[in-house]
């Protein structure tokens, strides 16, 4: 049966947004600041920082490069883009700026890049957004409208958070949900990355939740802290302080295995819930006609940056993992993510 999409709006408007790993809505252009200095490890998701295997290319930027981010300032989409911009400038001497362009399920930023010259000086930086926006019917294009560049960083699939005073663990939450079908509230953004994650969690756990669109990440946190919702999917960077303060409890991560970044958080699979949801893999999306030599330049640059322990640590300092894929593997990864989330959406329509 087709699930009723929305029961309640607790805060803000019912605008679609794919800033699931970003900050509040904004539209601004700013240069990249220095990365943080606190040590947080530098291992990539699959092991050590990427080895440098550069190819010859004669192309390089001839003017400032715009990194278009479909999120506001302050979230890890924005912060990791700034890490890249900082170290890219240090390594090459060229200027790279972050352009925050949030709104309309990420399509404001995506359209900005699609209409840009295919000269290597403008690209979209983000995760899953192009695919989810298409699946949700917000756009009529997916990742295939772009030319994929390399992948720079990974954020584990968003974890599930509850109030520890209400729910001691995953089993307690599931039992409560089964005892009150359709009554426990889960905050999300309708049609966005977390929306399909919650739908998949409902199916895997055999429960029915009341999905509530509350707005941005800060609105989700506020709804959780005020007790207006029972469950929140969230990125670790947005939730770690509340975990440490005992205000949030994490009942599981929908990942295949535990990552070092969230090593203390159990996966849903190891707790008996068969759900693995796509991670947030942050890739470069260029206009479709971008020359191959431009893509090679950025593949080389990303490898060189991530091979620098200081740069890899800077990525870790924004609670993400250095993670390199070349352009071909990035495109294959996007295809797999698109198919996985579309399967969830298609089942919803049945």
């Amino acid at each position: 049966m087709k699930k009723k999409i929305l029961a309640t709006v607790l805060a803000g408007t019912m605008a679609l947004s794919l800033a699931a790993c970003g900050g509040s809505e904004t539209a601004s252009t700013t240069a990249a600041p220095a990365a943080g200095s606190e040590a947080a490890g530098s291992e990539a998701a699959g092991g050590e920082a990427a080895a440098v295997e550069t190819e010859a290319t004669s192309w390089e930027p001839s003017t400032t490069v715009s990194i278009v981010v479909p999120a506001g300032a302050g979230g890890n989409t924005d912060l990791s883009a700034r890490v890249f911009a900082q170290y890219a400038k240090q390594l090459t001497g060229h200027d790279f700026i972050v352009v925050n362009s949030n709104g309309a399920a990420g399509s404001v930023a995506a359209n900005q890049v699609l209409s840009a010259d295919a000269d290597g000086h403008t690209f979209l930086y983000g995760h899953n957004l192009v695919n989810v926006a298409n699946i949700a019917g917000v756009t009529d294009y997916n990742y295939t409208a772009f030319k994929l560049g390399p992948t720079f960083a990974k954020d584990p699939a968003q974890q599930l958070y509850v109030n520890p005073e209400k729910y001691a663990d995953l089993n307690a939450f599931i039992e409560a949900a089964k005892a009150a079908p359709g009554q426990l509230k889960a905050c999300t953004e309708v049609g966005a990355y977390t929306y399909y994650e919650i739908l998949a969690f409902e199916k895997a756990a055999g429960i029915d939740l009341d999905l509530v669109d509350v707005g941005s990440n800060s609105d989700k946190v506020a709804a959780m802290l005020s007790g207006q919702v029972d469950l929140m999917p969230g990125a670790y960077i947005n939730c770690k302080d509340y975990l440490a303060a005992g205000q949030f409890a994490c009942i599981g991560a929908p990942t295949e295995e535990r990552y070092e970044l969230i090593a203390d958080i159990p996966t849903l699979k190891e707790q008996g819930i068969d759900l693995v949801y796509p991670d947030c893999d942050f890739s470069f999306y260029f206009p479709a006609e971008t020359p191959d030599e431009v893509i090679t330049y950025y593949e080389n640059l990303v490898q060189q940056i991530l091979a620098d322990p200081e740069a890899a640590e800077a990525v870790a300092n924004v609670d993400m993992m250095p993670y390199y894929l070349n352009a071909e593997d990035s495109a294959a990864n996007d295809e797999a993510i698109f198919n996985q989330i579309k399967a969830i959406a298609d089942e919803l329509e049945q």
Side-chain angles (χ1 to χ4, degrees):
M1 295 179 62
K2 188 172 181 179
K3 184 177 177 67
K4 184 177 181 181
I5 292 179
L6 190 63
T8 310
V9 176
L10 294 181
T13 64
M14 198 169 142
L16 293 175
S17 171
L18 273 186
C21 294
S24 58
E25 291 193 11
T26 185
S28 61
T29 303
T30 52
S37 59
E38 296 180 5
S42 60
E43 288 191 350
E48 297 180 355
V52 178
E53 299 177 356
T54 60
E55 297 181 20
T57 178
S58 60
W59 185 88
E60 63 178 296
S62 58
T63 187
T64 298
V65 175
S66 295
I67 307 169
V68 182
V69 171
N76 59 2
T77 304
D78 171 76
L79 293 174
S80 59
R82 293 171 189 275
V83 170
F84 171 81
Q86 176 194 348
Y87 285 93
K89 179 175 176 60
Q90 287 184 13
L91 194 62
T92 69
H94 297 296
D95 291 324
F96 296 79
I97 61 169
V98 173
V99 180
N100 298 101
S101 186
N102 197 15
S107 62
V108 172
N111 290 336
Q112 182 175 339
V113 172
L114 286 175
S115 63
D117 292 336
D119 59 5
H121 294 101
T122 303
F123 65 86
L124 181 71
Y125 175 79
H127 74 90
N128 301 331
L129 74 163
V130 173
N131 295 317
V132 181
N134 175 249
I135 292 167
V138 178
T139 66
D140 60 0
Y141 57 83
N142 62 11
Y143 73 97
T144 60
F146 297 83
K147 189 164 188 175
L148 264 290
T151 297
F152 178 69
K154 176 186 285 287
D155 193 26
Q158 292 201 9
Q159 307 91 58
L160 302 179
Y161 295 89
V162 298
N163 184 331
E165 295 182 359
K166 292 182 177 180
Y167 311 105
D169 52 26
L170 176 64
N171 288 334
F173 180 83
I174 291 176
E175 289 176 5
K178 288 182 176 179
Q183 294 184 40
L184 298 192
K185 291 180 169 55
C187 60
T188 182
E189 293 161 277
V190 175
Y193 170 85
T194 58
Y195 175 64
Y196 295 108
E197 179 182 4
I198 293 297
L199 293 178
F201 174 62
E202 285 184 306
K203 178 186 176 184
I207 59 177
D208 181 28
L209 302 173
D210 180 8
L211 274 56
V212 180
D213 192 326
V214 303
S216 69
N217 286 316
S218 60
D219 293 326
K220 291 188 184 75
V221 170
M224 273 288 292
L225 291 173
S226 65
Q228 296 181 82
V229 296
D230 299 282
L231 179 73
M232 183 189 80
Y236 182 68
I237 190 173
N238 297 327
C239 302
K240 63 177 184 177
D241 291 342
Y242 301 103
L243 275 175
Q247 294 170 285
F248 287 0
C250 187
I251 59 174
T255 55
E256 182 67 42
E257 58 187 3
R258 293 196 190 195
Y259 289 124
E260 181 179 350
L261 177 65
I262 52 173
D264 295 332
I265 295 174
T267 68
L268 293 177
K269 282 189 68 174
E270 69 187 75
Q271 299 180 86
I273 302 299
D274 188 16
L275 174 60
V276 176
Y277 196 67
D279 293 328
C280 297
D281 294 336
F282 290 79
S283 304
F284 297 2
Y285 299 78
F286 292 86
E289 301 303 317
T290 300
D292 289 342
E293 62 180 353
V294 172
I295 303 301
T296 299
Y297 173 89
Y298 284 99
E299 288 178 326
N300 292 346
L301 182 55
V302 167
Q303 288 187 85
Q304 290 167 354
I305 290 173
L306 294 183
D308 178 354
E310 181 181 308
E313 182 178 349
V315 175
N317 285 341
V318 297
D319 295 306
M320 293 175 66
M321 296 176 287
Y323 185 68
Y324 174 75
L325 294 176
N326 64 26
E328 182 179 359
D329 289 342
S330 293
N333 188 48
D334 258 45
E335 180 181 12
I337 290 172
F338 175 80
N339 290 336
Q340 184 175 351
I341 297 178
K342 190 174 188 304
I344 296 170
D346 289 345
E347 187 165 347
L348 173 65
E349 295 296 327
Q350 295 176 0

